[in-house]
Every structure is written in C-alpha cells, then in structure tokens.
Amino acid sequence: MKKGITLLEIIISMAILVILLVITIRAMNPGGQIAMARNSQRSFHITSILNAIRANLADTRTGTFICANGDIPTSTKRMASGVGNYDIASCLIPNYLNILPFDPSASSSYWTDLSNYNTGYNLIKNSSSGAITVSAPYAELGKTISVTR
C-alpha cells in the first residue's frame, strides 16, 4: 500500500483553512476598524477647532469671538469658504491653528488655503446659553460626533 496525501485530503484541508481565514477576517472587521479610526480623527478635529475658538474668546477678555465675518452663527452653518457657510479660517489661522482640519472621508472636504476650503464640520452657537457646538455630520457607524462648550 502506498502512503501519501490524496487529492481529497488536500482539498478538505484547503477548505478548512479558507473557512478559518474568512472567520478571522470577519472577526477583525477591517472596514469597521478603519471607520472607527476616521471617527476618532473627526473627534480630534472638532475638539481642536473648538479649542481654537475658545482661545480666540479668551484672548478678547470680553468673551466675544473676534472674526471679520461676525460672531458665531446661531443657526447651524458649515465651516467653509463660499456663500451660505461660515468662513472661520481667517479668525483662527495662523494664531490658533496652522490649517483647519477637515473631514477625513467626506469627498467635499478639503483644505487649500484661507479662501478655499471646506472642513465638512458644522458650527452653531446657542443664543441663550452662549454654548458653542462643533459637529461632524459625516460620522460613520451611526455615531454622532459633536463637542459643546
């Protein structure tokens, strides 16, 4: 009798390996891990922007936001250049930030310079409490990412 591995044994072994590989990849969920990383980056971005806004407020010593475009809007606005947005770049750069961070996966978000950008993040000021909220509307995995101070 000859000893050796049959073709059937090789096919069964390969099938078991493929099944284990599929289970491992699904358990690691690389797409979900990447989305969580982008959400973490969004959280860091909006915190950085809000810290820069707070630094601007602190520098005035009156609690008034100094910006050529006026006070922070009391209705939700996108922080971007162009009509219908709140152009905040010149109010924060270069004194508080080097560039405005922008959403890592929104195709419409970018930074070119002070007059050409779209952060992909929103901004609003509560008219009664004065609290400022920066939010990331393109957050993934069903998360809501916003910071209010």
Side-chain angles (χ1 to χ4, degrees):
M1 175 182 264
K2 291 184 177 181
K3 298 210 178 204
I5 300 175
T6 66
L7 183 59
L8 183 60
E9 291 171 326
I10 292 172
I11 291 172
I12 291 172
S13 297
M14 287 178 62
I16 291 171
L17 286 174
V18 168
I19 291 169
L20 289 174
L21 182 65
V22 168
I23 291 170
T24 301
I25 289 174
R26 288 190 54 95
M28 290 188 327
N29 187 10
Q33 294 293 327
I34 291 169
M36 285 192 307
R38 285 192 297 259
N39 278 346
S40 293
Q41 190 174 11
R42 288 179 181 98
S43 182
F44 176 75
H45 285 172
I46 64 175
T47 301
S48 296
I49 292 169
L50 195 52
N51 287 342
I53 291 169
R54 301 294 292 176
N56 178 301
L57 288 165
D59 283 352
T60 66
R61 295 187 181 135
T62 63
T64 304
F65 186 68
I66 301 295
C67 187
N69 296 313
D71 198 12
I72 295 171
T74 55
S75 62
T76 301
K77 296 286 184 180
R78 173 79 35 95
M79 289 181 283
S81 56
V83 177
N85 300 310
Y86 184 67
D87 189 357
I88 196 171
S90 62
C91 312
L92 301 179
I93 297 173
N95 295 337
Y96 307 106
L97 293 168
N98 291 325
I99 65 167
L100 273 176
F102 55 92
D103 190 279
S105 67
S107 61
S108 62
S109 301
Y110 62 94
W111 170 264
T112 303
D113 57 37
L114 286 173
S115 61
N116 187 16
Y117 70 95
N118 180 352
T119 65
Y121 300 125
N122 294 334
L123 176 71
I124 187 171
K125 179 179 180 180
N126 184 306
S127 57
S128 59
S129 69
I132 299 167
T133 301
V134 179
S135 60
Y138 298 111
E140 298 170 79
L141 303 173
K143 302 286 182 184
T144 300
I145 300 175
S146 68
V147 177
T148 302
R149 288 190 197 146

